[in-house]
Amino acid sequence: MKKHISKLFLILSLMLIPSVLIAQEKEISVEDQYYEDLKNEKNKPENIVFAEKLQEKLINDDVDGAILLFNSIPAPLKDDPDFKLILASLYMSKGQYATAEKIANEVLAVYPDSTDAIEILSYIAKAKGDTKKVAQMNKKLLDKDPNNPAANIIQAEDYLVKKKFKLAKDCYTKALKGEPGNKDALYGFALCSYYLNDTKTAKTVVEELLEDDPQNPAANALRGKLYAENNEYKKATEMLENALSYGGPNYDYYLELGMYYKRRNLTTKALEQWNNAVSLDKSYFLGYAYLAGLYDELNEYDKALQNYYMVIRTNPDYYFAYEEIALLEYHKNNFQGAIEYFEKAYAYSKNYSYKLMVAACYYRLKNPVNAKKVLQQVMKGLDRDSIEYHVVRFYHDSYSKNAEVQITQKLNKIDNSTNRGKMLFYMGQYYEINGFDEMAKEYYAKVTAMQAPMFFEYRLAEWALGRNK
């Protein structure tokens, strides 16, 4: 919409050609000359007076006032296509798409080749999610001019959503051929370059854009990304703060700014930014996920749990949160809650470890019947020669020294550190559940000595050692 207002603002300026010429002679801006001319309205034609008043509304971003002004438009201008399209653009900016579409179609009925009218209809269709109409309008535009900026930018944005960055960049390139210096196309070109790992080009283009428009929020945010790529997080935070200052509250900017603060170990500021994001949109899960992860790192487990629960409330398919909830509930000795969420995690990822943890929870709840039922199910899916099978069976059967020796022998042959760590943990947990605390501590210590927490059982081993101290 701003693009159309800018283009039609130029039309108004050209209508006020005396002001333009005088401004050029005086080497001042058209806007300054315009305000000087306002002092001498007497004897001006009503068309010029209307155009000047409309220009004043547009300069001051007074969209409602500009729309109201059209109630007193002089008769000779009522059917002027340029003024009609200004009005359509104004209504479009207010989200009154039906009215804007009606006006644009009126212009198109008289001037079927009006690029501006077709562009407005394309923007409206995009805003309404009418992809078929967008395609129709864009085809008309591109048939007339393959480098039409509006059509190429709309197509590029669609490619961006689909992560087709090369195709999007090609469209932005065409848009820049059609209109060199188009800010939307420059930003899109820089963003695609960034996603295609051409950070040198992205930096060059975004700095060119910022030189011309230093208060461009999106360009400031992208410059922040580029600083972050180079681990310059202080500069990255400054750019994101600029983006928020110039553009106002923005969910994505809050997330990025929080991440940069976290990289600088400014955890309080990181939490503040992510809370800002959540306050801005309580229905989106990502802010909660960031908060939960950082609270978890800070050992503020109640706050972590609270946010993990919000993650799954806002995005039930984010199954990673189920595992985290299960672990934290287990840590709180809420074994029934842990069972529920280990089961939910298993529903998304058939990891036998989740089921083994469910069985362990049942044992802790003094419910061996349900524990054995779960273990029987797990054994059916395991290779009978594997150590995993032998450990699960060790949990299921009564204690056997022979079984213990077999497991120890297999443990010593495991090369994969993750698998070895997991098996060591489950042996430690078995001994803890059965009251052999010293044996349990010995196994848990072997897990934590690995210093490679690539499996969730590592955290449980750390907690268990803390609990047993």
Side-chain angles (χ1 to χ4, degrees), residues 10-126:
L10 176 61
I11 293 169
L12 285 173
S13 297
L14 292 174
M15 286 187 63
L16 304 173
I17 197 69
S19 295
V20 175
L21 294 174
I22 293 169
Q24 289 173 345
E25 288 175 6
K26 292 183 178 180
E27 295 185 352
I28 63 175
S29 70
V30 173
E31 288 86 349
D32 288 341
Q33 182 60 43
Y34 158 71
Y35 282 115
E36 188 175 323
D37 290 345
L38 275 180
K39 300 173 184 176
N40 300 302
E41 283 195 4
K42 292 181 180 179
N43 302 320
K44 286 185 181 179
E46 61 175 350
N47 290 5
I48 299 299
V49 173
F50 177 83
E52 287 178 336
K53 288 181 179 179
L54 180 57
Q55 190 179 49
E56 180 183 16
K57 300 295 184 185
L58 297 179
I59 288 172
N60 294 312
D61 291 324
D62 183 1
V63 175
D64 291 328
I67 290 173
L68 283 173
L69 195 61
F70 274 86
N71 291 333
S72 58
I73 188 171
L77 298 181
K78 280 187 177 179
D79 294 322
D80 184 284
D82 292 328
F83 281 93
K84 278 181 170 285
L85 292 173
I86 291 175
L87 183 58
S89 294
L90 291 166
Y91 276 119
M92 186 168 67
S93 74
K94 296 284 290 181
Q96 298 182 30
Y97 300 127
T99 304
E101 190 172 16
K102 178 176 179 293
I103 296 170
N105 278 321
E106 287 174 1
V107 172
L108 209 57
V110 181
Y111 303 95
D113 292 327
S114 171
T115 298
D116 287 323
I118 297 170
E119 286 182 4
I120 287 174
L121 290 173
S122 181
Y123 281 123
I124 292 171
K126 184 172 187 282

Side-chain angles (χ1 to χ4, degrees), residues 208-389:
E208 175 188 336
L209 186 54
L210 285 170
E211 185 176 348
D212 180 59
D213 184 9
Q215 295 189 0
N216 184 309
N220 274 276
L222 179 53
R223 189 66 186 93
K225 283 180 182 289
L226 291 165
Y227 277 126
E229 284 286 313
N230 202 36
N231 297 325
E232 297 179 78
Y233 294 111
K234 188 174 187 298
K235 290 182 178 179
T237 55
E238 290 170 359
M239 298 308 294
L240 262 294
E241 285 167 350
N242 287 344
L244 286 162
S245 174
Y246 300 141
N250 181 292
Y251 194 98
D252 291 334
Y253 296 170
Y254 283 135
L255 290 187
E256 288 183 42
L257 182 54
M259 185 59 69
Y260 301 153
Y261 276 130
K262 183 176 184 294
R263 293 285 187 177
R264 295 172 61 191
N265 294 317
L266 298 172
T267 54
T268 301
K269 285 185 174 291
L271 291 169
E272 179 185 348
Q273 298 308 318
W274 293 336
N275 274 306
N276 285 340
V278 165
S279 298
L280 196 62
D281 185 355
K282 293 180 171 58
S283 66
Y284 191 55
F285 78 100
L286 202 52
Y288 298 115
Y290 282 18
L291 285 168
L294 184 48
Y295 280 129
D296 207 345
E297 287 181 30
L298 296 171
N299 298 332
E300 295 188 45
Y301 299 131
D302 287 341
K303 289 181 180 179
L305 257 178
Q306 177 185 343
N307 280 281
Y308 279 129
Y309 276 119
M310 289 304 300
V311 169
I312 60 173
R313 182 180 299 177
T314 51
N315 184 4
D317 290 331
Y318 193 77
Y319 67 88
F320 303 103
Y322 293 120
E323 178 183 300
E324 299 300 330
I325 291 172
L327 294 177
L328 291 174
E329 292 292 9
Y330 183 90
H331 181 54
K332 289 174 61 178
N333 293 328
N334 178 12
F335 301 120
Q336 195 62 54
I339 288 170
E340 178 183 353
Y341 284 93
F342 277 126
E343 288 285 12
K344 288 184 177 182
Y346 184 80
Y348 282 92
S349 176
K350 305 301 182 185
N351 182 344
Y352 80 93
S353 297
Y354 296 144
K355 285 290 189 179
L356 190 45
M357 286 303 302
V358 168
C361 288
Y362 277 126
Y363 277 128
R364 291 185 182 279
L365 290 169
K366 311 300 181 186
N367 188 343
V369 173
N370 279 350
K372 290 179 184 295
K373 286 180 181 178
V374 172
L375 293 166
Q376 287 168 4
Q377 294 172 0
V378 176
M379 283 189 287
K380 290 178 182 178
L382 295 174
D383 179 354
R384 296 176 70 90
D385 291 328
S386 68
I387 187 172
E388 290 83 1
Y389 176 86

Side-chain angles (χ1 to χ4, degrees), residues 387 406-415 419-420 423-424 427 443:
I387 187 172
Q406 282 186 307
I407 291 172
T408 302
Q409 290 173 345
K410 288 181 177 291
L411 262 172
N412 293 332
K413 294 178 182 179
I414 298 177
D415 294 325
N419 288 345
R420 179 177 173 78
M423 294 302 99
L424 287 169
M427 291 301 291
Y443 276 98

Side-chain angles (χ1 to χ4, degrees), residues 415-430:
D415 294 325
N416 184 286
S417 60
T418 295
N419 288 345
R420 179 177 173 78
K422 288 166 70 74
M423 294 302 99
L424 287 169
F425 166 78
Y426 287 113
M427 291 301 291
Q429 183 177 237
Y430 174 88

Side-chain angles (χ1 to χ4, degrees), residues 152 155-160 162-174 192 196:
N152 276 291
Q155 181 62 69
E157 289 171 350
D158 184 54
Y159 283 138
L160 272 176
K162 298 173 181 176
K163 301 187 185 301
K164 297 180 178 180
F165 303 123
K166 179 66 171 64
L167 293 173
K169 189 175 181 180
D170 290 344
C171 288
Y172 285 124
T173 301
K174 290 178 183 177
C192 289
L196 292 167

